[in-house]
Amino acid sequence: TVLPGGVARVTIAPRAASLRPGHTVALSAETQDALGEVLRTTDVSWRSLSPAEASVDASGVVRGLATGHAKIVASIDGVSDSISVSVLP
């Protein structure tokens, strides 16, 4: 059970992204409580599940590294969301 005030949902925007190796795209993560109220937090952790294709920094900036697909995850307090990023040739 998530109480109002705690993070209940994380949503990454945009919902998908495409870029080329060496290029970047900035993602953002909105957090909401159980009542749907937007929470102001900067404690979101970012990670790439495909670090050979794309990296992501602590601010949510994704850098294309090699052609392929990468799953980017934003998480806070055990709540997460993910999107797919395509790195084009």
Side-chain angles (χ1 to χ4, degrees):
T1 301
V2 177
L3 300 175
V7 176
R9 182 177 179 177
V10 177
T11 305
I12 298 173
R15 294 304 303 155
S18 298
L19 68 162
R20 298 193 183 281
H23 292 240
T24 61
V25 63
L27 304 178
S28 63
E30 180 181 87
T31 56
Q32 295 178 337
D33 68 13
L35 300 176
E37 295 294 322
V38 174
L39 303 172
R40 298 192 188 278
T41 181
T42 58
D43 296 335
V44 175
S45 296
W46 294 92
R47 65 187 164 126
S48 172
L49 299 184
S50 306
E53 286 76 28
S55 64
V56 61
D57 69 15
S59 299
V61 176
V62 177
R63 176 175 295 279
L65 300 175
T67 301
H69 298 281
K71 188 177 208 179
I72 305 297
V73 179
S75 58
I76 182 171
D77 297 339
V79 180
S80 63
D81 186 26
S82 64
I83 66 157
S84 178
V85 172
S86 298
V87 183
L88 306 172

